[in-house]
């Protein structure tokens, strides 16, 4: 039996993307929970020198960066497949992952979530309204484009779940609880898609800590 170890802070959508993929593939793993701040300490930096979440090991092979981990799992454990066989659909999957990592998370979700949820609700730091306002144009662009790319398909690349669906749904699940997230999602085709995604056993098995959802709902 292969040994899989995952390191990260519970509640991270990137950690959750890896865990969801492992559940979708029916793989056992050990989650090594680290506290906020520990990802900047020497022990963790030895696994991930950039201090991001998560880090991953499989039978002695260590790797970091979420999409690299997910693609590795696809190569080593190809069943059930989470990457489309069609080149166009596969390119669309890669495009959506790029939108998440280059635009949505760093320029929209991270500043809005920190100033609506993490800072004021968990750290006691007042939210920065200017930072939220500055992030909203990018957030609107991301939601509009992702909604366009989904169109009337059941999933982002067609009729089956892909890594793009997993990564995006893990990002949107908590974000939709805050006021900006609710407003951006309302009336889009992403809304019923997200409801289908979070009803999957893999999402139910990887629910973020209750305090995070409560903090998002209270924002």
């Amino acid at each position: 039996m292969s040994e899989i170890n995952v390191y990260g802070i519970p509640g991270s959508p990137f950690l959750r993307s890896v865990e969801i993929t492992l559940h979708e593939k029916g793989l056992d793993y050990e989650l090594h929970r680290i506290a906020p701040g520990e990802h900047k300490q020497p022990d963790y930096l030895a696994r991930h020198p950039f201090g991001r979440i998560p880090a991953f090991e499989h039978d002695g092979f260590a790797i970091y960066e979420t999409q690299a981990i997910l693609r590795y799992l696809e190569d080593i454990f190809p069943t059930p497949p989470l990457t489309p066989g069609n080149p166009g659909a596969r390119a669309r999957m890669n495009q959506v992952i790029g939108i998440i990592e280059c635009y949505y998370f760093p320029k929209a979700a991270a500043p809005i979530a920190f100033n609506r949820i993490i800072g004021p609700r968990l750290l006691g730091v007042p939210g920065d309204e200017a930072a939220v306002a500055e992030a909203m144009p990018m957030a609107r662009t991301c939601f509009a484009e992702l909604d366009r790319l989904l169109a009337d398909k059941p999933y982002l690349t067609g009729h089956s779940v892909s890594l793009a669906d997993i990564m995006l749904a893990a990002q949107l699940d908590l974000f939709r609880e805050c006021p900006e997230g609710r407003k951006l999602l309302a009336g889009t085709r992403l809304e019923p898609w997200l409801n289908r995604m979070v009803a999957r056993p893999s999402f139910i098995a990887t629910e973020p800590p209750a305090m995070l959802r409560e903090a998002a709902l209270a924002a």
Side-chain angles (χ1 to χ4, degrees), residues 45-210:
L45 290 173
R47 301 184 185 281
H48 195 321
F50 299 100
R52 300 292 298 274
I53 302 298
F56 175 93
E57 290 180 1
H58 171 232
D59 285 349
F61 174 71
I63 191 171
Y64 55 84
E65 294 304 314
T66 302
Q67 66 165 298
I69 296 168
L70 301 188
R71 294 180 199 284
Y72 173 80
L73 288 171
E74 274 287 89
D75 287 341
I76 302 299
F77 305 102
T79 305
L82 296 171
T83 298
N86 175 276
R90 191 162 60 249
R92 185 71 72 209
M93 180 190 81
N94 294 334
Q95 180 184 28
V96 171
I97 291 173
I99 291 171
I100 294 166
E101 294 195 332
C102 295
Y103 310 113
Y104 173 73
F105 179 77
K107 298 180 180 181
I112 294 172
F114 181 84
N115 287 290
R116 279 284 177 260
I117 304 170
I118 306 300
R121 300 294 171 178
L122 300 179
L123 302 179
V125 177
D128 184 340
E129 292 299 322
V132 172
E134 184 179 355
M136 282 301 292
M138 178 59 75
R140 284 191 285 268
T141 297
C142 288
F143 271 79
E145 180 61 6
L146 290 165
D147 185 58
R148 185 188 73 84
L149 292 175
L150 175 63
D152 295 321
K153 303 187 298 296
Y155 300 102
L156 286 160
T157 62
H159 291 281
S160 59
V161 170
S162 73
L163 298 178
D165 295 284
I166 289 171
M167 286 191 69
L168 184 60
Q171 291 282 337
L172 297 188
D173 185 24
L174 277 179
F175 185 74
R176 69 169 170 174
E177 309 285 16
C178 72
E180 287 77 11
R182 288 195 295 271
K183 184 176 179 179
L184 288 162
L185 197 62
T188 68
R189 289 164 289 195
L190 292 167
E191 192 170 22
W193 162 85
L194 182 57
N195 290 334
R196 292 196 304 275
M197 289 298 298
V198 299
R200 296 177 72 85
S202 59
F203 277 78
I204 295 170
T206 59
E207 265 285 309

